[in-house]
Amino acid sequence: MLEGAATFRLQHKANRLRQRIEGHTRDEVLFQAVAEALGYKQNRLAFTLLAQRLPLSFLRKRQDDAEALLFGIAGFLDVLSSDVQRKSARSYLNSLWHRWWKHRAAFSRLILPGKLWKMSGVRPLNHPHRRLGALAALVTEWKRFATLTHAAEAAPVMRFVTGLRHSFWSCHYNLAVAGASSSRALIGSSRAADIVVNVIYPLAVNDDRDVWNDYKKLRAQVSSQAARIAAARLFADDPRQRKFTRSLMGQQGLLQIYEDFCLRDSSDCANCPFPEQLRSW
């Protein structure tokens, strides 16, 4: 049951990406999808718009200016340029401004409005400034990343993504606070797993790659409240419940069931059609 739901979910994601590839190149769709994943729930739209306004092909032709363009179009340079007092941040911002100012007039109409960004309630490691730094680092290493995504093996992709480093962002949370006491991963293991499941594997399915056996071996990196709710409703006190929520495949299957049934049922399971459908199978 869960495997079938997870298979459906994976195929649905593959179909969505295939539709996008029809209007773009595979690399552009990969870039946009990864940017969307780095935006998390709060800033998904902002990161998606940023990736659309600054296509990967455009950034790769301007490698030296790519990071400045990303931060400039995001609107982060205009807002913070006069407020940052810390020496390390000022030095970094000055380097970005040195490259951004020559593009600013031409791209001013593309700058994202500040109200689009959601800064409150975001963990320091997931701050949009830092996530944008991660995206910039990924653009720099794109050739290697793209090669790994074509192979569609989870472990090498996750090692690469979690191993990304940046001279400033590996040690800073955002542009307005002091640096961290030690270097931290730009992209953590949970977000790397999310990229594999929601981007890399669906693209591999479109490439007719068989990723299912690897998919079933992956463990969930973080707990999902929606998956826990679905598991509790489906399995009650069954001890297998924890097994399903700890497996990434099981978690994805539970999420699909939650979206298809739990979100549409206001009767607290009393009138849910899912049991009847199970009996008909």
Side-chain angles (χ1 to χ4, degrees):
M1 175 184 68
L2 288 183
E3 188 168 320
T7 302
F8 175 84
R9 189 174 181 83
L10 178 60
Q11 187 60 59
H12 179 66
K13 291 174 181 177
N15 292 341
R16 287 180 58 195
L17 290 179
R18 182 168 60 249
Q19 290 172 358
R20 292 165 67 175
I21 289 173
E22 291 175 358
H24 304 277
T25 66
R26 185 186 189 279
D27 266 11
E28 289 294 352
V29 171
L30 175 60
F31 177 61
Q32 290 180 17
V34 170
E36 182 180 338
L38 290 177
Y40 287 72
K41 182 178 180 180
Q42 299 97 322
N43 291 294
R44 185 175 299 167
L45 175 60
F47 269 85
T48 300
L49 289 174
L50 193 58
Q52 291 172 347
R53 295 182 182 191
L54 288 172
L56 176 69
S57 56
F58 178 85
L59 292 173
R60 293 195 69 199
K61 290 176 182 176
R62 297 161 180 81
Q63 285 277 8
D64 291 343
D65 294 343
E67 189 167 344
L69 284 163
L70 284 168
F71 276 85
I73 298 299
F76 295 154
L77 300 185
D78 286 344
V79 172
L80 290 165
S81 59
S82 61
D83 299 329
V84 174
Q85 301 298 320
R86 301 189 182 280
K87 184 176 180 180
S88 60
R90 280 206 313 273
S91 176
Y92 173 64
L93 272 174
N94 286 339
S95 69
L96 293 181
W97 258 106
H98 178 70
R99 296 190 176 280
W100 166 239
W101 71 267
K102 59 187 177 184
H103 300 287
R104 188 182 180 194
F107 288 93
S108 60
R109 64 184 180 83
L110 298 179
I111 296 174
L112 298 182
K115 63 182 180 182
L116 199 60
W117 294 101
K118 305 295 185 291
M119 305 293 188
S120 61
V122 178
R123 293 178 59 225
L125 286 173
N126 300 335
H127 194 281
H129 294 171
R130 198 166 191 272
R131 288 305 180 195
L132 191 53
L135 186 63
L138 194 58
V139 170
T140 301
E141 300 288 342
W142 188 263
K143 185 176 181 179
R144 186 181 170 201
F145 176 63
T147 300
L148 290 172
T149 64
H150 276 284
E153 295 179 7
V157 171
M158 290 182 65
R159 279 197 301 270
F160 173 80
V161 171
T162 57
L164 281 172
R165 294 292 181 266
H166 188 285
S167 58
F168 182 83
W169 289 113
S170 290
C171 299
H172 289 80
Y173 299 124
N174 62 56
L175 288 166
V177 301
S181 58
S182 60
S183 178
R184 306 295 296 271
L186 290 176
I187 302 174
S189 57
S190 62
R191 189 52 31 176
D194 183 77
I195 290 171
V196 168
V197 170
N198 294 315
V199 182
I200 309 305
Y201 278 174
L203 283 174
V205 169
N206 286 331
D207 293 337
D208 295 323
R209 300 291 301 274
D210 182 8
V211 297
W212 191 247
N213 287 332
D214 287 339
Y215 190 6
K216 290 192 289 186
K217 296 175 185 176
L218 293 177
R219 291 183 62 83
Q221 298 292 322
V222 294
S223 176
S224 164
Q225 183 179 6
R228 290 199 307 272
I229 291 172
R233 290 178 171 179
L234 285 172
F235 302 108
D237 296 327
D238 191 317
R240 292 176 298 173
Q241 181 184 144
R242 294 184 67 186
K243 173 186 174 182
F244 294 137
T245 55
R246 289 178 176 178
S247 157
L248 199 52
M249 182 273 293
Q251 192 177 86
Q252 289 291 303
L254 288 167
L255 286 172
Q256 190 63 47
I257 292 170
Y258 179 83
E259 291 173 6
D260 287 346
F261 295 95
C262 299
L263 285 180
R264 302 180 184 184
D265 175 42
S266 58
S267 68
D268 196 23
C269 298
N271 300 319
C272 179
F274 188 58
E276 187 63 33
Q277 288 198 19
L278 281 180
R279 282 191 288 271
S280 69
W281 294 344

